[in-house]
Amino acid sequence: MPQGIDYRDYRARKAGADFSAKAHETLDPMDWKSFRKQAHHMLDDMLNYIEHIRERPVWQPIPDEVRARFRGVVPRLPSDLSAVHEEFMRHILPFAAGNVHPGFMGWVHGGGTPVGMLAEMLAAGLNANLGGRDQAPIEVERQVVQWTREIFGFPESATGLFVTGTSMANLIAVVVARDVALGFEVRRSGVGEDTRRLTAYASTAIHGCIGKALDLCGVGSAALRLIPTDHRHRIDLQALGMAIQKDRDAGLTPFLVVGSAGTVDTGAIDDLAGIADLCRRENVWFHVDGAYGALAIVAPDLAPRLDGIERADSLAFDFHKWGQVPYDAGYILVRDGVLHRNTFATSAAYLKRVERGLAAGSPWPSDFGPDLSRGFRALKTWFTLKVYGTDALGAVISRTCELARYLESRITGTPELELMAPVELNIVCFRYRAEDSDRVNEKLVIDLQESGRVAPSTTTIGARLAIRVAIVNHRTSRAEIDALVDSTLSLGRAFQNSATACKAAQTAQENHAPRAFEITIADRGETAGNSTRLSRTALSAG
Ligand SMILES: Cc1ncc(COP(=O)(O)O)c(C=O)c1O
């Protein structure tokens, strides 16, 4: 219990006269006029934030005193809305991860749009619960289901559902595939011996949430066979076929192959048509993890790379990544809606469906996933698709890939930099060449993030650390790519110089010579071990 709260006292007061005296009050404002003024002020602040995002640092560390503000006790008494908003502006807004900023290029995060933000506000005002019932918000979600079928070439029988993100969408797909393999009776009887015989397959480049999904549904993450990839980080189909055969020979039951449409590390797209053929031959469920890459289908220059996606039994992806819909807006599409519904529908008296009235409109979204209470994620997606149209979203997706190729050309044209993986889509992995390269590049990325100019992340390619640049944000331009390359070079050179100076100092010390390095550093008012300060100097010079 946080210090400073006496809950016994709190409960006593709650039951007493202090609280009952206010029983007639609602939580709506007493003075709508001044509330409206404050509301407009808050809206303006967020529009200003987005409009002027380029003037801010991408990211900055949270100062200790700011962090400490979020360790307070439960507020028992009211505060002024404007004061709480002020707190947000001063202590929350400046310290977000920064994915609205065009310099954010670490991890696969979408940039959001002002349109999506406004739609979120409308959804919150409506406070709709999209678990079920006969209401227009569910018609909006059904409209998006229809659009996703069209976009991905799925049949009318396909069903779809908004979820938090692709981790959850993948979990839903794995559960459907499990139930199809074992029979829907497993929902009642629970997992047993049969489940332990199930095996699943994906490439070594698969996202970690697939193993987690197998774990959560009782199959176990050890059932996942990680198949080697080719030189373009795509699953090796021959090795996949052999692994399935080997497991069959051992008396196991292969039930699922997960293909990647844009791997998290390098953006590789598996041969989806090849996997579809193999799954049909083997009678195995074909799921596609298309977390961010699947939406490349709306970009005419990229769509052919996704050939075969239309043959998947299920497809998971996020509108909140390349689709630029504000967080969160994950999505699962299942080819056979009956199987999808059989996996999740339950019958409870309080959820009884009728022909007319508010309880009409079956099936409900809650029949297709684990959630009963669900927010109106469909609205911000519907707004985004209607206001921008898929052509504009496709153009953004193509442009981010074009920027990735531009970055690739800058890397290959700079001898100090090394490209670490082929550039398939919008992800570029590279590093600064150095003796102690893993350590140097790791520090370099932290310094880049702390510089506030650009924020890439790291990954490991072939056991070597790489700087990973995922260009997802529609605001990113060549200016940010140039800033990334120039800053990387400045920092890398500064590290090299300090390493050389360190070596010289060591040699001098060993030779009992005067300590030239310490004198040099001291003259600049810095310490040899402080790479951050060294790199800040390097950045401001570069
Ligand atoms: C390929 C892939 N799969 C799954 C996920 C998980 O998606 P989410 O973060 O929406 O749960 C990601 C996230 O980046 C991803 O890139």
Side-chain angles (χ1 to χ4, degrees):
M1 187 187 296
Q3 275 186 347
I5 294 189
D6 181 342
Y7 277 97
R8 282 163 308 172
D9 172 52
Y10 174 68
R11 286 195 202 103
R13 276 161 47 81
K14 190 169 186 224
D18 274 359
F19 276 74
S20 55
K22 293 183 177 175
H24 65 283
E25 284 180 11
T26 73
L27 297 176
D28 285 334
M30 302 275 275
D31 174 359
W32 277 98
K33 197 170 164 203
S34 64
F35 183 87
R36 192 179 296 269
K37 195 167 161 218
Q38 173 63 22
H40 288 158
H41 179 48
M42 289 165 77
L43 178 61
D44 271 343
D45 273 352
M46 285 323 285
L47 293 176
N48 283 338
Y49 172 72
I50 301 175
E51 185 182 354
H52 299 291
I53 191 71
R54 286 174 180 77
E55 294 156 27
R56 295 178 161 274
V58 183
W59 174 83
Q60 54 186 329
I62 309 172
D64 288 346
E65 62 274 19
V66 171
R67 213 182 282 276
R69 291 183 160 269
F70 301 100
R71 305 286 184 270
V73 295
V74 177
R76 287 167 53 183
L77 298 174
S79 300
D80 196 56
L81 173 62
S82 63
V84 180
H85 173 228
E86 183 63 20
E87 262 190 85
F88 168 81
M89 292 304 291
R90 289 164 66 93
H91 306 304
I92 299 175
L93 178 140
F95 305 106
N99 48 307
V100 174
H101 195 287
F104 186 94
M105 43 188 75
W107 304 277
V108 183
H109 282 25
T113 66
V115 168
M117 181 188 90
L118 293 176
E120 270 293 64
M121 187 193 67
L122 302 183
L126 210 51
N127 194 24
N129 178 350
L130 272 81
R133 289 155 286 274
D134 197 17
Q135 51 172 328
I138 287 184
E139 293 306 324
V140 174
E141 183 151 353
R142 288 187 181 129
Q143 169 70 90
V144 179
V145 175
Q146 177 55 38
W147 287 343
T148 52
R149 282 186 200 121
E150 245 176 72
I151 289 171
F152 291 105
F154 271 50
E156 277 296 310
S157 58
T159 42
L161 189 76
F162 276 99
V163 289
T164 43
T166 292
S167 302
M168 180 54 88
N170 281 333
L171 172 60
I172 288 177
V174 169
V175 177
V176 180
R178 181 202 67 177
D179 289 5
V180 168
L182 297 178
F184 293 97
E185 167 59 16
V186 72
R187 292 187 62 195
R188 201 187 60 80
S189 58
V191 295
E193 270 305 308
D194 280 357
T195 320
R196 280 190 279 278
R197 306 175 83 83
L198 296 180
T199 50
Y201 307 81
S203 86
T204 49
I206 198 72
H207 194 272
C209 65
I210 296 293
K212 213 191 244 187
L214 288 161
D215 158 13
L216 289 171
C217 78
V219 173
S221 57
L224 181 61
R225 312 299 197 229
L226 292 179
I227 309 299
T229 53
D230 64 12
H231 66 289
R232 287 174 61 193
H233 300 265
R234 299 174 308 180
I235 195 164
D236 178 337
L237 279 181
Q238 209 186 349
L240 172 62
M242 283 162 56
I244 290 176
Q245 191 53 52
K246 188 170 162 223
D247 282 334
R248 282 204 200 286
D249 292 347
L252 298 170
T253 311
F255 82 111
L256 168 71
V257 175
V258 182
S260 288
T263 57
V264 65
D265 275 333
T266 67
I269 300 175
D270 287 335
D271 174 357
L272 301 177
I275 300 178
D277 288 340
L278 187 145
C279 286
R280 182 166 301 166
R281 273 199 313 273
E282 296 286 346
N283 192 24
V284 167
W285 188 272
F286 171 31
H287 173 65
V288 173
D289 176 352
Y292 80 89
L295 275 179
I297 203 151
V298 297
D301 57 326
L302 300 170
R305 301 218 212 151
L306 293 163
D307 274 355
I309 202 168
E310 74 288 351
R311 292 169 60 195
D313 291 306
S314 51
L315 165 66
F317 67 98
D318 287 323
F319 281 107
H320 58 225
K321 291 188 164 88
W322 249 347
Q324 312 295 334
V325 172
Y327 280 83
D328 50 33
Y331 203 79
I332 178 70
L333 194 58
V334 179
R335 167 173 232 88
D336 184 334
V338 175
L339 300 179
H340 189 185
R341 192 176 175 190
N342 286 348
T343 306
F344 290 100
T346 52
S347 55
Y350 53 86
L351 297 176
K352 186 170 181 283
R353 316 298 158 78
V354 289
E355 288 302 310
R356 290 169 42 223
L358 197 44
S362 188
W364 291 352
S366 56
D367 295 329
F368 297 99
D371 294 319
L372 178 55
S373 290
R374 307 172 63 249
F376 199 179
R377 297 184 181 103
L379 189 68
K380 57 194 171 185
T381 309
W382 183 81
F383 260 87
T384 302
L385 289 168
K386 275 182 92 79
V387 172
Y388 297 106
T390 54
D391 286 357
L393 295 174
V396 164
I397 290 169
S398 295
R399 195 168 67 238
T400 57
C401 292
E402 195 275 318
L403 285 172
R405 291 193 295 275
Y406 172 64
L407 174 56
E408 178 187 22
S409 72
R410 284 221 53 192
I411 293 163
T412 52
T414 310
E416 288 155 284
L417 303 177
E418 176 188 1
L419 190 69
M420 301 281 287
V423 177
E424 294 289 341
L425 289 171
N426 60 335
I427 296 184
V428 183
C429 293
F430 74 106
R431 66 182 188 171
Y432 186 84
R433 292 182 203 269
E435 225 172 66
D436 188 4
S437 189
D438 282 4
R439 195 184 60 88
V440 166
N441 282 280
E442 184 152 43
K443 278 167 142 257
L444 205 149
V445 165
I446 294 171
D447 286 350
L448 283 172
Q449 292 168 355
E450 288 182 346
S451 77
R453 293 176 77 184
V454 286
S457 60
T458 61
T459 191
T460 306
I461 307 278
R464 299 190 310 158
L465 187 126
I467 301 175
R468 174 170 168 268
V469 176
I471 309 163
V472 187
N473 191 320
H474 57 100
R475 302 181 182 95
T476 305
S477 67
R478 284 193 177 207
E480 286 76 31
I481 303 298
D482 287 336
L484 168 75
V485 174
D486 297 344
S487 301
T488 301
L489 289 173
S490 304
L491 284 168
R493 285 167 192 156
F495 281 134
Q496 294 287 63
N497 290 343
S498 91
T500 312
C502 267
K503 266 193 191 157
Q506 227 170 3
T507 316
Q509 211 171 8
E510 281 162 15
N511 294 339
H512 305 287
R515 302 170 78 178
F517 169 70
E518 284 179 6
I519 294 162
T520 315
I521 296 293
D523 281 347
R524 289 164 57 191
E526 291 167 343
T527 54
N530 191 337
S531 68
T532 301
R533 283 164 65 189
L534 211 79
S535 58
R536 281 194 190 285
T537 313
L539 272 182
S540 52

